[in-house]
Amino acid sequence: MTKDANPRLKHAPADHPPVKPAKIGVLVANLGTPDATDYWSMRRYLNEFLSDKRVIDYPAWKWQPLLQLIILSKRPFTSGANYKTIWNNEANESPLMTITKQQVAKLREAVATRYGAEVVVEYCMRYGNPSTFDVVDRMVQQGCEKILFVPLYPQYAGATSATANDQFFRALMKQKRQPAARVAAEYFDRPSYIEALAQSVERVYPTPESRPDVLVASYHGMPRRYLMEGDPYHCQCQKTTRLLRERLGWPEGSIETTFQSVFGTEEWLRPYTVEHVAELAKAGKKNIAVISPAFSADCIETLEEIQGEICEAFEHAGGENFTYIPCLNDDDAHIAALMEVVQENLMGWIA
């Protein structure tokens, strides 16, 4: 690049190192995915995930021997088998990766339309690849002097939003020239997000007569202790469900909040989805639907757990019609809600 091509080098000496034109970055982050379904790929991914103190906060001396010697000797096999049932073999990646790429492609197009080439959009994963460290470094090398970090979690939780933020700031610690940074807040009660959820339900149930007996809003679980320690996740999930019901105009009791993916022996947020759907079936609710408002993209918890284990629990208890309503994924209404988040958080940085 010549000195004339970059006005910021106008007064620089001839031997000044190259300087990229200044840009603004938008970095969206999701949970993560293994690189493959084999034992060692699964073990690397699970080790990074389950070693995160935000996820499992037991003392290392107590947790790590159990994790390394017992859990990681067996769980990679079962988790790998589960991933194989949903794996995108054509692209050789998990559905979460495929969908995240689709989301970012649409968001990138919307950002380019609104701001032009001055704002770049990238994505990273908290666990696995592309790592937060690698992507932040690449964005800085591209000239991003300001970065907006957007965790793709509608509801805040220490084990999701906070650990993604932690990793982002760790990545900034590695940079000689740190960009200015902003972190987008959770968007669990944003009208555009609730509207996108409601539209996804109305596509499946367009009339009152077609409604299920119960719509189960199944959120990822967490230890109940986290709620008692001040994590707002449980309350935000409850509010999302209430706002969705109000937007749909459905009566009280027609949508229920449950929690899935229980791990370990500690008490988690209740009711547990897998138990609750069986109770509904036994109570005569033969036609139910499940939606997953906490997940921005379909993943192992929705494609395998909900449509596998949870569906089977309902049917074994006498349920007849089980419908899964997909996550918002790259739905246009979802991308519009995310673009709204981006625009609000870029205020003051760009016109």
Side-chain angles (χ1 to χ4, degrees):
M1 179 178 294
T2 66
K3 197 176 294 186
D4 290 337
N6 188 346
R8 296 194 302 157
L9 294 183
K10 183 178 179 181
H11 303 289
D15 61 349
H16 193 283
V19 177
K20 296 284 186 179
K23 293 183 180 295
I24 296 171
V26 175
L27 177 56
V28 297
N30 214 325
L31 182 76
T33 170
D35 295 324
T37 61
D38 62 277
Y39 173 83
W40 289 109
S41 295
M42 291 304 309
R43 182 173 179 122
R44 283 193 299 272
Y45 173 72
L46 291 171
N47 182 53
E48 184 180 12
F49 176 47
L50 297 176
S51 293
D52 187 344
K53 294 287 286 185
R54 289 278 196 180
V55 176
I56 306 292
D57 64 354
Y58 300 145
W61 65 265
K62 184 178 183 180
W63 173 243
Q64 282 299 320
L66 177 63
L67 175 65
Q68 301 299 329
L69 299 177
I70 299 177
I71 295 174
L72 291 181
S73 66
K74 300 178 180 180
R75 189 163 179 137
F77 290 111
T78 57
S79 294
N82 291 336
Y83 267 99
K84 284 180 182 178
T85 65
I86 65 167
W87 200 252
N88 181 348
N89 292 309
E90 183 177 349
N92 192 26
E93 62 190 19
S94 74
L96 176 67
M97 180 66 75
T98 301
I99 294 167
T100 301
K101 289 178 178 178
Q102 293 167 344
Q103 291 171 324
V104 170
K106 284 192 172 182
L107 186 60
R108 188 176 285 142
E109 182 179 353
V111 167
T113 299
R114 176 69 177 80
Y115 299 112
E118 189 175 347
V119 180
V120 299
V121 181
E122 299 287 352
Y123 73 95
C124 66
M125 299 294 177
R126 170 60 184 89
Y127 314 105
N129 296 304
S131 75
T132 308
F133 285 87
D134 289 345
V135 179
V136 167
D137 187 66
R138 184 169 72 245
M139 295 177 79
V140 171
Q141 297 303 317
Q142 289 175 338
C144 290
E145 296 184 356
K146 301 172 183 176
I147 297 178
L148 168 64
F149 188 67
V150 185
L152 290 178
Y153 304 111
Q155 298 79 20
Y156 174 96
T160 54
S161 309
T163 189
N165 295 341
D166 291 345
Q167 196 76 340
F168 174 56
F169 286 109
R170 290 190 194 101
L172 294 182
M173 290 170 63
K174 299 288 187 180
Q175 296 301 319
K176 180 70 69 176
R177 200 289 192 206
Q178 283 187 328
R182 288 178 178 173
V183 174
E186 62 272 19
Y187 51 95
F188 68 99
D189 58 354
R190 181 176 287 270
S192 55
Y193 161 67
I194 298 299
E195 179 64 26
L197 285 177
Q199 289 180 18
S200 73
V201 174
E202 290 172 336
R203 280 193 290 270
V204 181
Y205 300 105
T207 65
E209 294 74 26
S210 65
R211 267 182 219 153
D213 297 331
V214 176
L215 173 59
V216 177
S218 181
Y219 298 82
H220 199 289
M222 68 162 51
R224 185 176 183 277
R225 171 172 54 87
Y226 292 8
L227 165 64
M228 306 313 292
E229 293 171 350
D231 196 301
Y233 178 73
H234 176 267
C235 301
Q236 293 184 359
C237 292
Q238 296 286 0
K239 186 173 183 181
T240 295
T241 299
R242 175 176 63 80
L243 292 175
L244 174 60
R245 181 184 62 77
E246 291 174 354
R247 159 57 183 81
L248 290 169
W250 291 13
E252 290 190 19
S254 59
I255 307 179
E256 300 181 355
T257 298
T258 63
F259 299 91
Q260 65 182 87
S261 309
V262 177
F263 178 78
T265 59
E266 189 173 356
E267 178 78 3
W268 280 43
L269 297 176
R270 288 184 178 271
Y272 298 155
T273 305
V274 69
E275 295 177 357
H276 192 66
V277 296
E279 293 168 358
L280 289 173
K282 293 174 183 177
K285 307 295 184 182
K286 305 297 185 182
N287 176 25
I288 72 168
V290 177
I291 191 171
S292 302
F295 298 96
S296 62
D298 276 306
C299 53
I300 190 73
E301 287 86 357
T302 64
L303 299 175
E304 194 279 328
E305 184 180 2
I306 289 180
Q307 297 187 75
E309 177 188 3
I310 291 171
C311 176
E312 290 171 5
F314 175 70
E315 293 175 343
H316 289 168
E320 297 174 359
N321 298 311
F322 182 96
T323 300
Y324 171 64
I325 299 174
C327 291
L328 295 178
N329 297 326
D330 67 339
D331 180 78
D332 289 343
H334 187 209
I335 302 304
L338 294 176
M339 184 60 186
E340 190 178 277
V341 171
V342 169
Q343 286 182 248
E344 287 186 9
N345 282 275
L346 289 184
M347 287 182 179
W349 275 4
I350 188 169

